[in-house]
Amino acid sequence: MRDHLLDKLRKADTANKIGPLKKESDTAVLSEFEQSGVKFASTGRLEAVYYNALGKLLDCIVPTGGPEPILHEGGVYLGYWMESTGTINAELLSRFIPSVSASTYRAFAKHQREDGLMPYKVTPNGPVFRQIQMVTPLARCVWNHASLHGHDGDFLPAMYAAMSRHDQWLADYRDTRGTGGVEAFCTFDTGHDLSPRFWHVPDTPHLGDPAQVYPDSPILPFVAPDLTANVYCQRLYLAKIAEALGVNGEEWQAKAERSLQSLYAQCFDDEDHFFYDRDRQDRFVRVQSDVLLRVMACEVGDRAFFDTMLEKYLLNTRKFFAKYPFTSMAMDDPRFDPFSSYNTWGGATNFLSLIRTPHAFEHHGRHVELTWIMFPILAAMANMERFGQVLSPWTGEEGYTESYSPAILCVLDYVERLCGIMPTPEGELWFGGLTPYDFDHGEEIASHTAYARTVDGATYELVNLPEGSEIVREGESWMRFPSGVRIITDRKGELKGVLGLSTRTVQGTLHYRGTELAFNVKANELLAYEDGNLRTKRDIGLVYPTY
């Protein structure tokens, strides 16, 4: 099977698999993807879904306002949004087609208003400034892109200047109550369409002006935890960017700390251990929604704090840990709506939540717990044809719209993260020694996989079989190891460590450079390779699901 999969992988013709191209710009975009060397082969249904997704990704990359291709949201969403396309979507795309990610980021700076506000979306008709609509911090995405592809050129300076001006606009216009937090003036400020969080709140700001709040509202403005956490994290990364540009980042660090203090003072409820909006009457809006996941993805809190969130909420089957997680509302809330046939954040599992999830978990070393989300979602993906915006949390059936870029990128990301070769902004390569599990009716998804990627001119291939995994470098066997772990190397493929990626303890031997390294690695345990030996560097155990 090993030789069969490698042969299948090497003979795979990406262009042939995705079919005829539909527009002139597709040729260059596909060529750039092929330059990454990324290919995927498997038994089961997932391989066909993967290339179907890749073909539809090209439909979402469109020249807009100029000759450069830009990533679009896809489906019924014509254009690109700061909430998603211009941040987390482009961050994932950066590993595959970096020029399009860079163009997408730059487009928001290009269309920035003179007063510093960035558009919340740009469509073929131009930029739109009606609301702010922020979720994933732009500065984190920009920093990770530059770290993956180099800090040379004017990309970082241009984006730093634009993001600094945008930060000042938010401080000037979205803190009317003087709390130090960031206020939501409407539902669309956070992209939470139909969420009970915003019942009896207008969808858009007063008179379509992002600087005005509806004056007759008894509850607005909300001091919003997700918006405040966004600015906190944004400022942390603006400090990193400043230092990289030779500017003192201490002022940004101080601003970030003030944002964090405001987040806890205004939005954190000690009794529930949850983040809520605080309304105009100084009361918590006690709706438990995916606001929690958004705040956690903004690097708020230490590992112990995150672990408590896992136990109480994210891995709780009464709250957000549905059969196909994560729901956009807590399931034990009477307002929870599981239906997915329309654009809703009232309960259904949203792909935007799913692509924001890995950073929240991996930031705290919760890699195994993350696989418990990925396995059922990959099972749902194996049946996907349209790549809709939402999934049914009960059945995994895809719902509203089609060719939605977050769903498409989720396929590419989860495959690479679980059983592929993933470059990180920290200069590492992650080789995932797991395969999707047959959760649904025992139907095979991809129990044998192979994945390829070219890094700094060197070709790497990873084969995952039930009996073990193998890394092939430049056509020669490089490492062999038991399944259930992640091998971590530098960009030259030199061993740095082994991570336990399974709930069980994995025992076995790593064959590397003519040596045999016997090891035992527990769930989430990180073994560092130092002086020819594997030694425990981190051992944090597991956080188990609750009911």
Side-chain angles (χ1 to χ4, degrees), residues 175-243:
D175 185 19
T176 63
R177 294 160 61 180
T179 65
V182 182
E183 293 166 353
F185 286 3
C186 64
T187 303
F188 290 169
D189 274 340
T190 67
H192 256 145
D193 305 51
L194 297 187
S195 172
R197 173 190 183 188
F198 287 110
W199 280 0
H200 310 295
V201 166
D203 283 342
T204 59
H206 187 54
L207 303 177
D209 182 351
Q212 292 194 52
V213 64
Y214 175 44
D216 291 328
S217 172
I219 54 177
L220 290 178
F222 289 170
V223 183
D226 44 354
L227 297 179
T228 304
N230 176 294
V231 168
Y232 159 70
C233 191
Q234 179 100 340
R235 288 170 167 178
L236 288 181
Y237 281 86
L238 282 168
K240 291 177 184 282
I241 295 171
E243 295 288 348

Side-chain angles (χ1 to χ4, degrees), residues 73 77-86 108 120-121 133:
E73 193 77 358
Y77 305 102
L78 303 178
Y80 42 104
W81 270 249
M82 173 70 76
E83 170 199 9
S84 46
T85 337
F108 287 95
Y120 83 89
K121 72 173 179 180
Q133 204 154 338

Side-chain angles (χ1 to χ4, degrees), residues 77-354:
Y77 305 102
L78 303 178
Y80 42 104
W81 270 249
M82 173 70 76
E83 170 199 9
S84 46
T85 337
T87 48
I88 185 60
N89 300 12
E91 183 173 5
L92 299 187
L93 186 68
S94 180
R95 303 203 306 263
F96 304 96
I97 314 174
S99 72
V100 175
S101 293
S103 297
T104 306
Y105 294 137
R106 285 181 182 273
F108 287 95
K110 172 185 175 182
H111 292 291
Q112 187 172 34
R113 284 195 330 198
E114 289 186 5
D115 65 358
L117 179 64
M118 287 186 180
Y120 83 89
K121 72 173 179 180
V122 182
T123 75
N125 295 323
V128 186
F129 298 90
R130 185 180 59 186
Q131 62 248 15
I132 55 175
Q133 204 154 338
M134 307 185 312
V135 180
T136 300
L138 175 61
R140 188 195 88 197
C141 303
V142 165
W143 173 256
N144 286 343
H145 174 83
S147 298
L148 269 175
H149 303 292
H151 290 183
D152 297 336
D154 69 340
F155 176 74
L156 267 184
M159 294 304 300
Y160 176 74
M163 292 185 294
S164 298
R165 293 194 298 270
H166 186 71
D167 180 271
Q168 187 60 53
W169 188 95
L170 292 169
D172 289 343
Y173 295 101
R174 285 305 185 100
D175 185 19
T176 63
R177 294 160 61 180
T179 65
V182 182
E183 293 166 353
F185 286 3
C186 64
T187 303
F188 290 169
D189 274 340
T190 67
H192 256 145
D193 305 51
L194 297 187
S195 172
R197 173 190 183 188
F198 287 110
W199 280 0
H200 310 295
V201 166
D203 283 342
T204 59
H206 187 54
L207 303 177
D209 182 351
Q212 292 194 52
V213 64
Y214 175 44
D216 291 328
S217 172
I219 54 177
L220 290 178
F222 289 170
V223 183
D226 44 354
L227 297 179
T228 304
N230 176 294
V231 168
Y232 159 70
C233 191
Q234 179 100 340
R235 288 170 167 178
L236 288 181
Y237 281 86
L238 282 168
K240 291 177 184 282
I241 295 171
E243 295 288 348
L245 296 176
V247 179
N248 192 320
E250 291 181 0
E251 183 179 351
W252 286 117
Q253 290 281 2
K255 287 183 176 181
E257 182 59 31
R258 290 196 292 272
S259 291
L260 185 63
Q261 290 173 359
S262 176
L263 174 67
Y264 279 101
Q266 296 295 318
C267 300
F268 186 65
D269 178 56
D270 289 303
E271 183 177 347
D272 290 351
H273 202 82
F274 203 90
F275 291 97
Y276 297 112
D277 297 294
R278 187 177 289 273
D279 75 5
R280 181 177 174 178
Q281 307 307 324
D282 210 31
R283 301 172 305 182
F284 284 134
V285 181
R286 293 188 180 276
V287 176
Q288 293 181 350
S289 72
D290 71 300
V291 159
L292 174 62
L293 183 62
R294 295 177 175 200
V295 172
M296 293 296 94
C298 287
E299 304 180 11
V300 170
D302 59 14
R303 181 184 298 129
F305 185 83
F306 182 67
D307 289 354
T308 300
M309 292 302 190
L310 289 179
E311 291 176 353
K312 291 179 69 68
Y313 296 103
L314 294 176
L315 295 181
N316 186 330
T317 61
R318 284 182 181 268
K319 296 294 185 179
F320 298 99
F321 197 39
K323 179 174 171 61
Y324 299 91
F326 288 114
T327 56
S328 47
M329 275 281 294
M331 289 176 282
D332 61 357
D333 190 307
R335 294 160 289 195
F336 173 76
D337 172 14
F339 293 102
S340 56
S341 58
Y342 43 86
N343 173 21
T344 174
W345 288 84
T349 297
N350 273 260
F351 271 103
L352 273 174
S353 290
L354 292 171

Side-chain angles (χ1 to χ4, degrees), residues 18 47-57 384-385 387:
I18 66 176
E47 179 183 333
V49 173
Y50 183 92
Y51 285 102
N52 187 18
L54 182 58
K56 291 183 183 297
L57 178 62
M384 288 172 60
E385 297 177 355
F387 304 96

